[in-house]
Amino acid sequence: GRTEVFDTPEAMPVNVNFADNNEETSADILVVTAGNGGELGREAAQKDKELFKSFITYHVENTPGFNGKTGETLTLTTPPGTPYKRVIVLGTGVGSSMNEFVLENALGGSLAKAIRDTGFNSANVIIDGYNAPNMSKARIAAHLANGVIGKNYSFDKHKNTVPNNTPQITFAVPDSAAA
């Protein structure tokens, strides 16, 4: 995998990693996707069955108001005995509207806020279910990372204290070197 640290005097640092799909990394949060209608991406559905016994699918299907619209998020507290403390389901909407702007602004921004709102600082993001036929998973991950970094930008330069809890976000892609 590859790690990028984005840090400037005015910005809250974010550690962004790109890991190969088969690399297991520990984190407090798992991020999966759901398209319009709340259907989980293929890899997300597989992880749900393996790790959570369809816990995510159950909640996506039974949470009023969650439809998988672009940028919509659903945060779940996971059952005891699972490897994650939270799951964030990120709505990807309809694939035909997927482009760099949507990935960075609507999805990356929503993801950054959802991660921050959990109070935890580490997340593994499954790059799955984006239905963006003209973009590789590595490119999708890079644009999401840009959105997360942009949303975490804050004007802390003149504050007395700077937070020391740097978010650690890992994007799982088929080829981390391409991200």
Side-chain angles (χ1 to χ4, degrees):
R2 196 177 89 210
T3 301
E4 302 281 339
V5 178
F6 299 90
D7 186 12
T8 68
E10 296 85 20
M12 185 174 97
V14 178
N15 289 333
V16 174
N17 301 305
F18 299 95
D20 292 328
N21 281 343
N22 57 358
E23 282 184 47
E24 288 296 321
T25 57
S26 65
D28 293 318
I29 304 165
L30 176 66
V31 178
V32 298
T33 58
N36 267 356
E39 185 177 340
L40 293 179
R42 189 184 77 243
E43 291 174 40
Q46 181 180 342
K47 277 269 194 222
D48 184 27
K49 286 178 186 171
E50 289 173 10
L51 298 177
F52 302 103
K53 298 179 176 49
S54 298
F55 169 84
I56 301 169
T57 301
Y58 172 81
H59 285 282
V60 166
E61 291 174 353
N62 293 288
T63 300
F66 182 80
N67 298 307
K69 293 178 185 169
T70 303
E72 184 178 28
T73 59
L74 175 63
T75 301
L76 305 171
T77 300
T78 58
T82 60
Y84 296 94
K85 295 174 182 161
R86 300 285 185 278
V87 170
I88 295 172
V89 183
L90 177 64
T92 58
V94 179
S96 61
S97 64
M98 196 62 56
N99 59 41
E100 291 87 351
F101 181 82
V102 171
L103 285 165
E104 292 185 15
N105 295 291
L107 298 179
S110 294
L111 179 57
K113 182 181 181 326
I115 290 171
R116 190 173 49 251
D117 288 350
T118 68
F120 294 106
N121 289 318
S122 60
N124 288 338
V125 181
I126 296 176
I127 301 298
D128 176 39
Y130 288 88
N131 297 324
N134 297 327
M135 284 190 235
S136 68
K137 288 186 177 187
R139 187 169 167 205
I140 291 169
H143 285 295
L144 277 175
N146 281 340
V148 168
I149 292 161
K151 188 68 173 184
N152 275 308
Y153 189 89
S154 62
F155 294 93
D156 290 337
K157 184 177 185 177
H158 300 291
K159 289 185 179 179
N160 292 333
T161 60
V162 177
N164 63 358
N165 52 349
T166 302
Q168 177 82 25
I169 302 170
T170 302
F171 294 89
V173 294
D175 181 10
S176 62

